[in-house]
């Protein structure tokens, strides 16, 4: 059994508070991320003993894996996934490298309004009717989950968005396999 010196985990309370709420700690959360990175074995052992599965994604973030899904979280996840999918499509249609633009472009209210207008039938199903709704219902939640950060003029997506991209790619792959059979 791993001996854990809690005195060495100086940011344990802050890290635990973030992770249990579904937040993804990424490199932009410098102090917490560095402590997790330097003390990963201790944190894994401690959180495992508490019933949590601490995951480290090599693309630069930590999170608790969870099999639990609430109906509300399902709606939030669907809205985030739809937004990411539509952003990728929007950037590709604009002639930009979608993966680069996803992380380099500021998502401002004008872009949000455009996305909602161009994909009204999809966003209507999630009760998102305007760019302001998208900001409030999706982007502000992405901040609370560590998926985005607010910058002057809008929002920037962060590395934990890769979890949604991976899921979208998995669904896409399953769709193609299903069509081949």
């Amino acid at each position: 059994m791993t001996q854990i010196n809690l005195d060495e985990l100086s940011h344990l309370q802050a890290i635990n508070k973030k992770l249990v709420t579904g937040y993804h700690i990424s490199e932009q959360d410098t102090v917490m991320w560095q402590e997790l990175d330097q003390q990963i074995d201790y944190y894994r052992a401690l959180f495992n003993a508490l019933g949590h599965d601490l995951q480290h994604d090599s693309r630069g973030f930590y999170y608790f894996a969870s099999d639990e899904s609430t109906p509300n979280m399902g709606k939030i996840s669907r809205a985030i996934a739809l937004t990411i999918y539509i952003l990728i499509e929007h950037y590709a249609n604009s002639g930009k490298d979608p993966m680069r633009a996803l992380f380099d472009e500021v998502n401002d209210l004008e872009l949000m309004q455009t996305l909602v207008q161009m994909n009204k039938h999809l966003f209507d199903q999630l009760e998102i009717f305007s760019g302001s709704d998208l900001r409030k219902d999706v982007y502000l939640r992405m901040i609370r989950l560590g998926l985005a950060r607010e910058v002057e003029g809008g929002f920037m997506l962060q590395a934990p968005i890769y979890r949604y991209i991976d899921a979208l790619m998995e669904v896409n792959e399953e769709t193609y396999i299903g069509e081949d059979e």
Side-chain angles (χ1 to χ4, degrees):
M1 177 164 209
T2 305
Q3 193 72 14
I4 302 171
N5 181 353
L6 294 178
D7 293 332
E8 291 181 25
L9 307 180
S10 59
H11 295 90
L12 173 60
Q13 187 174 5
I15 289 170
N16 182 63
K17 186 177 180 180
K18 289 284 192 182
L19 292 173
V20 297
T21 63
Y23 188 86
H24 296 70
I25 296 175
S26 61
E27 293 175 352
Q28 287 78 13
D29 304 301
T30 310
V31 174
M32 290 186 290
W33 189 87
Q34 285 177 340
E35 183 163 315
L36 277 169
D37 205 48
Q38 293 167 1
Q39 306 287 349
I40 186 62
D41 292 334
Y42 292 139
Y43 274 101
R44 270 212 177 104
L46 178 60
F47 287 136
N48 191 39
L50 295 171
H52 300 291
D53 182 11
L54 178 62
Q55 295 291 311
H56 174 236
D57 190 292
S58 61
R59 295 170 286 196
F61 58 95
Y62 293 90
Y63 64 98
F64 281 160
S66 174
D67 291 333
E68 300 169 18
S69 179
T70 64
N72 191 33
M73 189 57 182
K75 181 181 178 184
I76 294 164
S77 288
R78 284 191 310 274
I80 292 170
L82 175 64
T83 302
I84 301 308
Y85 178 82
I86 288 171
L87 273 170
I88 291 170
E89 189 175 71
H90 172 77
Y91 291 135
N93 290 341
S94 300
K96 298 176 181 175
D97 175 344
M99 293 309 291
R100 174 171 279 154
L102 205 56
F103 295 102
D104 291 349
E105 300 278 329
V106 173
N107 293 219
D108 61 12
L109 193 54
E110 184 180 332
L111 173 63
M112 292 176 210
Q113 188 63 36
T114 300
L115 296 176
V116 171
Q117 286 175 347
M118 293 177 70
N119 299 279
K120 184 177 177 359
H121 62 288
L122 296 172
F123 281 113
D124 280 356
Q125 295 174 39
L126 295 170
E127 298 175 13
I128 296 172
F129 306 109
S130 68
S132 295
D133 288 346
L134 186 59
R135 179 187 183 283
K136 178 181 59 119
D137 295 343
V138 176
Y139 281 88
L140 292 178
R141 286 205 173 122
M142 283 197 276
I143 287 174
R144 287 196 299 266
L145 295 172
L147 305 172
R149 68 184 190 283
E150 198 159 9
V151 296
E152 188 175 328
F155 300 86
M156 296 288 295
L157 301 183
Q158 297 189 139
I161 285 295
Y162 279 115
R163 289 191 65 202
Y164 285 89
I165 295 169
D166 293 346
L168 290 168
M169 296 298 287
E170 190 176 306
V171 167
N172 192 39
E173 191 173 292
E174 289 173 6
T175 301
Y176 282 121
I177 290 171
E179 288 176 357
D180 291 343
E181 292 175 356

